[in-house]
Amino acid sequence: MLTKKQLDLLDFINKRLQRDGVPPSFDEMKEALDLRSKSGIHRLITALEERGFIRRLAHRARAIEIVKLPESLGGAPQHGFTPRVIEGDRPDGPMPAGAQAVSGVAAQALPLMGRIAAGVPIEAISEQSASVAVPGQMLSGQGNHYALEVQGDSMIEAGINNGDVVVIRETSVAQNGDIVVALVEDHEATLKRFKRDGDRVALEAANPAYQTRIFTEDKVKVQGKLVGLIRTY
């Protein structure tokens, strides 16, 4: 999910590329979005790049290419997980249980269970460290939900960044392509894309710097499925 400014900038860049064959300058972007400084454009460009919509080419001036477009701008429908992002901050301490509000939207307080590795797996997480308010519409399906802070960058091409808080629905069942919390050999927990092939399970990263890890199915236990995330700044 993109903010309105991010969407407006992506639309402006795309139209200029189609019309002129080159992207607009930062001054032109600033003027088009009615921003006061170029630093705001830098932040928007970085956000679009992190989400996989654009790519900046090194050592070339004004070198931006469109990687994909959201459906609202004529892009192809995205299959699999697309992060439903709520921009905000993690709590400094425990929150009262029950319904809360996030930007005026009714929300549910979920236990924040610690950190989950989106990279090299870390020790399994079982202790609640705080609570976090999550909009009710983010809680999909039946069952319990919980939240985890992401540590690492192995899922960045799926729009999941280091420091994000992911919202997980508890389940032991996953379909190919789901992003899951997987317990590996009963002591390591990791956030990866799930793929099953016969009696083997592949845990795939969304970053080419990380290799896919393959296990026999008895070595991997699915503990939850990703349903959303909260981005912190």
Side-chain angles (χ1 to χ4, degrees):
M1 180 183 294
L2 298 177
T3 67
K4 184 178 184 302
K5 285 291 188 183
Q6 291 164 1
L7 191 65
D8 288 346
L9 180 59
L10 183 61
D11 187 32
F12 179 65
I13 294 172
N14 183 52
K15 288 178 178 176
R16 286 294 297 271
L17 280 169
Q18 290 181 340
R19 190 189 76 183
D20 301 335
V22 294
S25 68
F26 273 49
D27 283 326
E28 291 170 327
M29 296 180 203
K30 179 171 70 72
E31 183 178 348
L33 270 68
D34 195 26
L35 296 179
R36 294 182 178 181
S37 69
K38 292 182 184 179
S39 62
I41 295 297
H42 279 284
R43 287 193 293 270
L44 292 173
I45 288 289
T46 298
L48 290 173
E49 188 172 32
E50 288 176 345
R51 289 158 175 78
F53 288 96
I54 65 171
R55 180 182 297 117
R56 284 184 282 192
L57 306 179
H59 312 301
R60 291 174 55 187
R62 294 176 60 173
I64 297 174
E65 63 179 5
I66 301 292
V67 176
K68 64 181 179 180
L69 293 172
E71 289 184 63
S72 60
L73 296 182
Q78 299 296 308
H79 301 288
F81 176 76
T82 300
R84 300 161 65 187
V85 178
I86 301 297
E87 297 181 355
D89 287 313
R90 291 178 289 121
D92 294 327
M95 295 170 45
Q100 305 291 328
V102 176
S103 301
V105 179
Q108 177 72 37
L110 296 183
L112 183 63
M113 301 299 292
R115 292 180 175 178
I116 183 74
V120 179
I122 56 179
E123 290 184 354
I125 299 158
S126 60
E127 296 295 328
Q128 179 177 349
S129 61
S131 297
V132 62
V134 175
Q137 67 267 29
M138 187 177 281
L139 307 181
S140 73
Q142 301 297 318
N144 297 324
H145 293 74
Y146 58 94
L148 295 166
E149 181 186 351
V150 173
Q151 178 177 306
D153 62 357
S154 75
M155 299 303 290
I156 57 173
E157 292 191 0
I160 304 167
N161 300 332
N162 183 54
D164 285 346
V165 173
V166 291
V167 180
I168 306 296
R169 177 170 59 85
E170 287 186 11
T171 180
S172 60
V173 179
Q175 304 296 320
N176 282 349
D178 288 344
I179 295 176
V180 303
V181 172
L183 183 65
V184 180
E185 297 180 337
D186 288 327
H187 71 278
E188 295 177 326
T190 189
L191 185 73
K192 292 290 183 291
R193 195 177 300 279
F194 178 92
K195 295 284 182 68
R196 183 189 298 276
D197 184 7
D199 63 351
R200 294 188 176 276
V201 169
L203 299 178
E204 295 183 351
N207 182 337
Y210 293 83
Q211 293 184 343
T212 296
R213 303 179 75 204
I214 299 176
F215 303 89
T216 56
E217 59 181 351
D218 62 304
K219 300 294 185 182
V220 177
K221 296 177 182 177
V222 173
Q223 294 194 317
K225 176 182 175 180
L226 182 63
V227 296
L229 64 83
I230 300 169
R231 174 141 300 143
T232 59
Y233 294 93

